[in-house]
Amino acid sequence: MIAKVNSASVLGIDAYLVEVEADIAPGLPQFATVGLPDAAVKESRDRVLAAVRNSSYKFPHRRVTINLAPADRKKEGSAFDLPISIGILTATEQLVPKRLRRTVLLGELSLDGLLRPVHGVLSIALAAKREGIECLIVPTENAREAAIVEGLKVWPARTLQDAVDLLEADEDPEAFTVDVDEVFKGAAVYPLDFADVKGQQNVKRSLEVAAAGGHNVLMLGPPGSGKTMLARRFPTILPVLTIAESLETTKIHSVAGVLQADQALIATRPFRAPHHTISDAGLIGGGTYPRPGEVSLAHNGVLFLDELPEFRKNVLEVMRQPMEDGTVTISRAAMSLTYPARFMLAAAMNPCPCGYFGDPNHECTCSPPQIQRYLSKISGPLLDRIDIHVEVAALPYEQLTKAPTGENSQAIRERVNRARDIQLRRFEGRPGLYSNAHLQSKDLRKFCIMEDGAEGLLTEAIRRLGFSARAYDRILKVARTIADLEGSDLLKSEHLSEAIQYRSLDRSYWA
């Protein structure tokens, strides 16, 4: 007898339905799984056998064939344990399901029949709804994540026996539900705040400009000056995530397996801070069957690279394409996948190997060639993709002992939101263009109109300080954002002057 059960698999960050076919035929006892299963799927044989027996059911001593259709797509993961078990029980008539064809089943089985959580449930729930599936049976730990998708009946199961009971019930069981708005509101809380930071008003201002225009930022200063503290609070002044952005971000984290068990939605901007020993595959993503890397986990949020020159050069260079395109494509012999990677880069570094070059309170022990070699680890093309460079000075003792008196993140975020709203209205009808940081060179003349006298200031700055043509474009973009923060249509001299100050590395170190 043949039984067919609906399940699903993840490819990239999206999912597709898989039909699990179970055939019980006469012959010597054998268990075969076909349909391009990976090692985890093949190993389901032993888990399924033990779980079925330990749930008081009989495992057939016959030839068992499991087919995963479509057979030309690679199937990976342990989520097929539950549908394979249900297929075998149905094929041996130990289970008479009443709602099998309109239900998708997922779950990894332990040897005693307990269901363990699996990855990518949100993507699978969205795919099930898209294909017209009405019901979804998932492990209890995945129920909140799946219930985010409206219009889908989600039934949590703790054991294999629970799943059987759900399928055999005369009437549809009560579905597990969550209030999406309430979940989103409850999760949209940051534990950090800009009000905690003492002093550093110039750096706070530069981060506000970066947040308002979507600009990448590089902070340079001695150890202990607060670069990491400021970077960790950077997401708190970015615009609040929309529901669409939240769903997309949650899908990536769910597929990567980093979504917490009690977390249904990611409602705050992601902040990822990989160590400088990370590989290029860890940063961009990769593997035999590609998985998202740190740049994708930082999608719609902030990627913070501390001690930037300590990262291997090949690791930094692979970021150039996703920084420009907002996506990363990973190609392997078996497949090619594209992951979203629209993040804001916040980087921090010391000015020299010892960290105290230019610090009036400490003597630098580095020679000029050492400093040059240290700074040259950051390539020109990568530096050109960072719009704002800001120097972070060490705080004097008097400021350290004072209570924090700065603005909180909410006040700064309100100004950022107003500036972003101006940009959205300006770029309406231009797909892919949503902030000043993504302006192309051809757009600068149209959107960056300067008042009388301002262009002369910029020309003189370019001539005296030796800025490149690409730095000229960056200055105009940042000045456009500063003008948006003030609600000005024209770029004024003070806007350009502030933007020029944010190219300090071109002027002081690399020049």
Side-chain angles (χ1 to χ4, degrees), residues 16-224:
Y16 62 95
L17 294 189
V18 174
E19 188 172 58
V20 179
E21 298 176 321
D23 177 61
I24 312 298
L28 293 174
Q30 184 181 0
F31 191 111
T33 305
V34 297
L36 289 183
D38 73 345
V41 180
K42 290 179 181 178
E43 290 173 355
S44 67
R45 171 190 181 278
D46 299 311
R47 293 192 298 270
V48 168
L49 189 152
V52 168
R53 287 179 175 172
N54 291 323
S55 299
S56 301
Y57 293 101
K58 293 181 181 180
F59 193 88
H61 292 282
R62 306 176 75 181
R63 180 182 178 87
V64 179
T65 304
I66 303 298
N67 179 45
L68 307 176
D72 60 344
R73 285 189 175 185
K74 188 73 177 179
K75 319 299 186 309
E76 54 181 335
S78 57
F80 294 108
D81 289 4
L82 179 60
I84 289 174
S85 300
I86 295 297
I88 292 173
L89 294 179
T90 304
T92 56
E93 299 183 347
Q94 299 178 76
L95 166 64
V96 183
K98 295 181 172 60
R99 52 188 61 82
L100 196 58
R101 298 308 300 164
R102 57 190 180 95
T103 304
V104 163
L105 293 94
L106 303 167
E108 175 187 333
L109 283 170
S110 63
L111 300 185
D112 59 357
L114 288 174
L115 281 174
R116 293 194 173 113
V118 294
H119 301 160
V121 170
L122 178 58
S123 298
I124 292 172
L126 290 168
K129 182 181 178 182
R130 184 174 64 246
E131 296 295 332
I133 296 294
E134 300 177 16
C135 314
L136 187 65
I137 295 179
V138 297
T140 302
E141 292 87 343
N142 293 127
R144 284 175 59 82
E145 180 185 347
I148 291 297
V149 181
E150 297 179 348
L152 193 66
K153 295 179 181 178
V154 176
W155 296 325
R158 193 178 62 86
T159 64
L160 173 59
Q161 184 61 57
D162 289 346
V164 171
D165 293 341
L166 289 168
L167 291 170
E168 286 189 324
D170 292 330
E171 297 182 358
D172 281 358
E174 184 178 353
F176 181 90
T177 60
V178 296
D179 187 330
V180 177
D181 293 333
E182 189 66 27
V183 169
F184 190 80
K185 182 179 179 181
V189 177
Y190 291 96
L192 304 173
D193 197 282
F194 255 93
D196 304 331
V197 181
K198 300 177 181 179
Q200 304 293 12
Q201 298 304 322
N202 65 313
V203 189
K204 292 179 184 177
R205 168 64 178 178
S206 67
L207 292 179
E208 179 182 339
V209 173
H215 304 286
N216 300 318
V217 61
L218 172 61
M219 295 177 284
L220 181 129

Side-chain angles (χ1 to χ4, degrees), residues 223-271:
S225 56
K227 302 185 294 293
T228 302
M229 184 180 186
L230 286 157
R232 290 190 180 280
R233 286 155 178 77
F234 189 26
T236 67
I237 63 173
L238 295 175
V240 175
L241 274 178
T242 64
I243 289 290
E245 289 176 325
S246 177
L247 284 172
E248 189 175 31
T249 304
T250 305
K251 282 170 60 177
I252 299 171
H253 285 240
S254 177
V255 168
V258 297
L259 190 67
Q260 298 177 10
D262 60 344
Q263 191 173 21
L265 271 179
I266 293 177
T268 56
R269 297 279 175 183
F271 179 84

Side-chain angles (χ1 to χ4, degrees), residues 361-421:
N361 301 318
H362 296 83
E363 182 180 355
C364 176
T365 59
C366 305
S367 65
Q370 285 178 316
I371 297 174
Q372 187 58 38
R373 281 196 300 271
Y374 182 76
L375 298 177
S376 64
K377 292 181 180 179
I378 313 301
S379 70
L382 178 62
L383 190 66
D384 280 340
R385 286 167 171 80
I386 301 176
D387 295 347
I388 295 177
H389 314 152
V390 59
E391 297 181 53
V392 185
L395 283 180
Y397 176 77
E398 293 76 14
Q399 284 194 341
L400 286 174
T401 56
K402 292 180 180 178
T405 57
E407 286 184 299
N408 60 29
S409 295
Q410 177 62 33
I412 301 174
R413 190 191 301 124
E414 288 176 0
R415 294 196 295 270
V416 169
N417 284 334
R418 287 196 293 270
R420 285 288 184 107
D421 289 341

